[in-house]
Amino acid sequence: MADAVFARVAIVGAGLIGSSIARAARDYGAARQVAVLDASPQVMDRVRELGIADETSGEAPQALKGADLIIICTPVGVCGAVAETLAPHLEPGAILSDVGSVKGAVVAQVAPHVPEGVHFIPAHPLAGTEYSGPDAGFASLFQNRWCILTPGEDADPRAVARLDDFWTRLGAKVEAMSADHHDKVLALTSHLPHLIAYNIVGTADDFGEQTRSEVIKFSASGFRDFTRIAASDPTMWRDIFLGNREAVLEMLGRFNEDLSVLQRMIRRGDGEGLFAFFTRTRAIRRSIIAQGQDTAAPDFGRRKSD
Amino acid sequence: MADAVFARVAIVGAGLIGSSIARAARDYGAARQVAVLDASPQVMDRVRELGIADETSGEAPQALKGADLIIICTPVGVCGAVAETLAPHLEPGAILSDVGSVKGAVVAQVAPHVPEGVHFIPAHPLAGTEYSGPDAGFASLFQNRWCILTPGEDADPRAVARLDDFWTRLGAKVEAMSADHHDKVLALTSHLPHLIAYNIVGTADDFGEQTRSEVIKFSASGFRDFTRIAASDPTMWRDIFLGNREAVLEMLGRFNEDLSVLQRMIRRGDGEGLFAFFTRTRAIRRSIIAQGQDTAAPDFGRRKSD
Ligand SMILES: NC(=O)c1ccc[n+]([C@@H]2O[C@H](COP(=O)([O-])OP(=O)(O)OC[C@H]3O[C@@H](n4cnc5c(N)ncnc54)[C@H](OP(=O)(O)O)[C@@H]3O)[C@@H](O)[C@H]2O)c1
Ligand SMILES: NC(=O)c1ccc[n+]([C@@H]2O[C@H](COP(=O)([O-])OP(=O)(O)OC[C@H]3O[C@@H](n4cnc5c(N)ncnc54)[C@H](OP(=O)(O)O)[C@@H]3O)[C@@H](O)[C@H]2O)c1
């Protein structure tokens, strides 16, 4: 195996993403040592039981000692407070990063606490599932998935390159862009879809008990796909919508405009308009499959496990 | 194997659903003979090549001769015209059924053409994929899926029981309800989710080329789930929205109301409200998994095929 990219990576927050990085950093030799730090004693216990880290004292001074890469993997809303606690223990030359699903808000919270001589390079791996916690993580989570870095304009190119190497070693494809651009793109590809999914499941939930039980029973006709997305962690998603408010509201505005066009077509019985609309959207699916971003198997191939 | 339920089933329209019924009726011994009729000579050729039917002349008099079950499996919009063409060849005592995703509109179109002595019992198997055509079909499509029958109030109970037996033999779980109730439930579990998915993919498509290519690239963060649904057949979905206009507009109205509540929470930064909303929707996912309507595997288990 090639040399490790970092001597010691410290993971702060050992949930789905943090515990996956810990596992992957070891399995793929991206760091010689892995330290894990989590605010929750139960999570620390579980990390010890799972045996996915070398340093599990649960204390910042020990965990961060000698760490040349520190990754904050907590919900976005507490990133700033976490950075403040870590700051005194960060060593000069170290890289501080994160995995938050929004970037502008993380930069605003974390940057003020970064000591001089420490490189702050935000990141966001586009990988996850609808589950959370240390047991949900697995080493191959980032294989063949994108990881977006959003270094500031004055970031040290060598530090950026090392973080790029780290994520590449974990199996990810790395791309850099501005935090602002990241937040706009993700508002459309991730935040709006989640909002819509939460909303439609909420609409169903508002009906009385009888309708709700029929919706569950007959969910396989389309609805169930939305419920998977709407089963994601509430804390994480609250923080995302609070943290990317403007871009999300902008995308939601466009979505609403388009929806009122479709609504009018249905009301007027405009079959040609509906047909044209429904034809156009197929091309995007084809490109997604062609680019290996999803399986072409019918129904996501889930029938196997039915 | 138990005795066949019908002597001869005639399938009219050999696409995803029709060809799956043809395959299943044979494989599971639900009919002694299978006849297939499709308006398209290419489809008829393909049905012959696939060898999934006993009678493939492509002519109504031959296909319907001796048929005691006839199932219209064409898009909903042409059901009435198809029923009119079939009518002279339907034999007394036969059961005429369909598989349309809307029921009220099918009944309105087909019922006027049903000759005396023929039992018309509409049906809708809640099974399908995003693909169409005879090659997309497979015998196990209906296994463990619901099939809803919507017999009229004066329907012959013995005819209903035989159709129930047929679908049960194909592996489906059968339930009966009124056409009107079916259309309301499906508006929520299927039609609205499809409309929303088409709409969000359309919103993305409206952006310029650069954004569109980024959306495709980073689609795995949520968006790709919607594109699968929005890749479904445009003819089928046009007919569904034209055929279930009122119930869909009613559900869409509720969806819009709920969405403006979420929008306001985001605008105001109401973290508690968002958290409460996102927590509530998880329960529905749990029930769906508990009832076997979806897999609990993360990401629908599609990682295997990534
Ligand atoms: N899930 C995804 O699909 C996904 C994908 C890409 C990026 N992300 C981002 O990754 C981050 C973590 O998400 P996740 O899914 O891994 O969440 P998770 O499974 O809920 O894990 C978060 C962990 O952080 C811990 N934590 C909370 N506050 C802390 C603090 N002040 N100090 C130290 N640890 C703390 C939590 O402990 P408790 O259990 O005690 O709260 C939990 O163990 C979020 O920023 C999210 O935006 C998630
Ligand atoms: N797909 C699903 O997920 C699903 C699920 C449940 C129910 N359904 C219902 O099942 C029905 C069929 O859907 P599908 O997915 O099987 O569609 P499909 O794969 O497109 O098949 C429809 C077939 O009907 C043929 N056809 C069209 N007009 C005809 C006519 N006048 N006479 C005879 N055949 C004709 C088509 O031929 P051409 O190719 O020449 O047009 C095609 O072979 C629809 O009513 C739909 O609402 C679909």
Side-chain angles (χ1 to χ4, degrees):
Chain A
M1 204 176 296
D3 276 356
V5 187
F6 289 94
R8 176 167 173 139
V9 56
I11 306 293
V12 186
L16 168 68
I17 303 296
S19 77
S20 294
I21 298 177
R23 289 170 168 100
R26 272 192 166 180
D27 286 12
Y28 308 130
R32 278 201 298 279
Q33 283 195 339
V34 175
V36 161
L37 195 61
D38 197 289
S40 147
Q42 290 88 328
V43 171
M44 284 310 308
D45 283 345
R46 193 66 196 125
V47 166
R48 284 178 208 112
E49 282 162 27
L50 291 168
I52 55 177
D54 306 291
E55 213 296 325
T56 55
S57 67
E59 305 295 332
Q62 284 93 308
L64 267 61
K65 195 164 173 52
D68 44 359
L69 173 63
I70 301 90
I71 311 182
I72 302 176
C73 304
T74 64
V76 164
V78 298
C79 277
V82 169
E84 191 173 6
T85 332
L86 301 180
H89 314 288
L90 295 171
E91 300 183 2
I95 296 174
L96 176 66
S97 189
D98 78 308
V99 294
S101 307
V102 298
K103 299 273 52 101
V106 167
V107 172
Q109 280 184 73
V110 172
H113 303 293
V114 181
E116 250 209 77
V118 170
H119 306 283
F120 174 44
I121 304 166
H124 176 205
L126 306 190
T129 74
E130 65 274 30
Y131 293 97
S132 3
D135 286 282
F138 50 99
S140 66
L141 179 62
F142 311 106
Q143 292 284 340
N144 217 16
R145 303 271 65 118
W146 290 99
C147 181
I148 299 177
L149 309 186
T150 66
E153 282 178 10
D154 52 356
D156 178 349
R158 281 164 313 173
V160 176
R162 275 183 82 196
L163 190 61
D164 185 327
D165 282 353
F166 178 81
W167 280 105
T168 304
R169 193 67 74 82
L170 265 44
K173 301 174 283 185
V174 180
E175 181 135 326
M177 61 179 70
S178 73
D180 194 53
H181 188 70
H182 167 278
D183 287 356
K184 288 213 173 84
V185 172
L186 270 287
L188 184 54
T189 57
S190 175
H191 309 168
L192 183 58
H194 277 81
L195 190 71
I196 297 306
Y198 275 118
N199 191 64
I200 196 169
V201 178
T203 302
D205 195 49
D206 283 340
F207 280 86
E209 185 45 42
Q210 204 214 323
T211 304
R212 197 159 48 224
S213 74
E214 282 185 312
V215 167
I216 289 165
K217 192 162 166 181
F218 303 127
S219 61
S221 46
F223 185 76
R224 63 174 174 176
D225 284 14
F226 290 74
T227 63
R228 183 188 77 82
I229 296 187
S232 303
D233 188 60
T235 304
M236 166 174 163
W237 284 97
R238 175 200 62 200
D239 289 358
I240 288 173
F241 291 111
L242 296 179
N244 198 18
R245 193 188 310 204
E246 274 176 50
V248 168
L249 289 175
E250 149 86 24
M251 291 304 166
L252 187 53
R254 285 168 177 264
F255 172 87
N256 277 330
E257 272 175 40
D258 294 344
L259 192 56
S260 55
V261 173
L262 272 181
Q263 188 167 16
R264 196 172 321 118
M265 285 182 192
I266 295 174
R267 200 183 298 286
R268 293 185 180 170
D270 176 2
E272 270 177 51
L274 290 170
F275 184 84
F277 196 102
F278 298 161
T279 303
R280 194 160 74 90
T281 50
R282 293 188 118 174
I284 288 201
R285 177 73 185 166
R286 266 183 239 117
S287 313
I288 287 175
I289 291 171
Q291 294 193 17
Q293 291 295 304
D294 205 352
T295 168
D299 240 352
F300 305 120
R302 69 180 144 200
R303 188 159 286 271
K304 298 177 228 104
S305 39
D306 260 8
Chain B
M1 202 176 298
D3 276 356
V5 187
F6 289 93
R8 176 164 173 142
V9 57
I11 307 293
V12 186
L16 167 68
I17 302 297
S19 77
S20 294
I21 299 177
R23 288 171 169 99
R26 270 193 168 181
D27 286 12
Y28 307 130
R32 277 202 298 279
Q33 283 196 339
V34 175
V36 161
L37 195 60
D38 196 288
S40 147
Q42 289 89 326
V43 171
M44 284 308 309
D45 282 346
R46 194 65 196 126
V47 166
R48 283 178 209 113
E49 282 162 28
L50 292 167
I52 55 177
D54 305 292
E55 212 296 324
T56 56
S57 67
E59 305 295 332
Q62 283 94 308
L64 268 61
K65 195 165 172 49
D68 43 359
L69 173 63
I70 300 92
I71 311 183
I72 302 176
C73 303
T74 65
V76 163
V78 297
C79 278
V82 168
E84 191 174 4
T85 330
L86 301 180
H89 313 288
L90 296 171
E91 300 182 1
I95 296 174
L96 176 66
S97 188
D98 78 308
V99 294
S101 307
V102 297
K103 301 271 53 102
V106 167
V107 171
Q109 279 183 72
V110 172
H113 303 293
V114 181
E116 250 208 77
V118 170
H119 306 283
F120 175 43
I121 304 165
H124 177 206
L126 306 189
T129 74
E130 65 274 31
Y131 294 97
S132 2
D135 286 281
F138 50 98
S140 65
L141 179 61
F142 311 107
Q143 291 284 340
N144 217 18
R145 302 273 64 118
W146 289 98
C147 181
I148 300 178
L149 309 186
T150 66
E153 284 179 8
D154 52 356
D156 178 351
R158 281 164 313 170
V160 176
R162 275 184 81 197
L163 190 61
D164 186 327
D165 283 353
F166 179 82
W167 280 105
T168 304
R169 193 69 72 83
L170 264 44
K173 302 174 281 184
V174 180
E175 180 134 328
M177 60 179 70
S178 73
D180 194 54
H181 188 70
H182 166 280
D183 287 355
K184 288 211 174 85
V185 172
L186 270 287
L188 184 54
T189 57
S190 174
H191 308 167
L192 184 58
H194 277 80
L195 190 72
I196 296 307
Y198 274 118
N199 191 64
I200 196 169
V201 179
T203 302
D205 195 49
D206 283 340
F207 281 87
E209 185 46 40
Q210 206 214 323
T211 305
R212 196 158 50 223
S213 74
E214 282 185 310
V215 167
I216 288 166
K217 193 162 166 181
F218 303 127
S219 61
S221 45
F223 185 76
R224 63 175 175 175
D225 284 14
F226 290 73
T227 64
R228 184 189 76 81
I229 296 187
S232 302
D233 188 60
T235 304
M236 168 174 161
W237 284 97
R238 175 200 60 199
D239 288 358
I240 288 174
F241 291 112
L242 296 179
N244 199 18
R245 192 188 309 204
E246 274 175 50
V248 168
L249 289 175
E250 150 87 24
M251 291 304 165
L252 187 53
R254 284 168 178 264
F255 173 86
N256 278 329
E257 271 176 39
D258 294 344
L259 192 56
S260 54
V261 173
L262 273 180
Q263 188 167 17
R264 194 170 324 115
M265 286 182 191
I266 295 174
R267 197 183 300 286
R268 294 186 180 168
D270 176 4
E272 271 177 52
L274 290 170
F275 184 85
F277 195 101
F278 298 161
T279 303
R280 194 161 73 90
T281 49
R282 291 189 121 174
I284 288 202
R285 177 75 186 165
R286 266 184 239 117
S287 311
I288 286 175
I289 291 171
Q291 293 195 17
Q293 291 296 303
D294 205 351
T295 167
D299 241 351
F300 304 121
R302 68 180 144 200
R303 187 158 288 270
K304 298 179 227 103
S305 40
D306 260 8

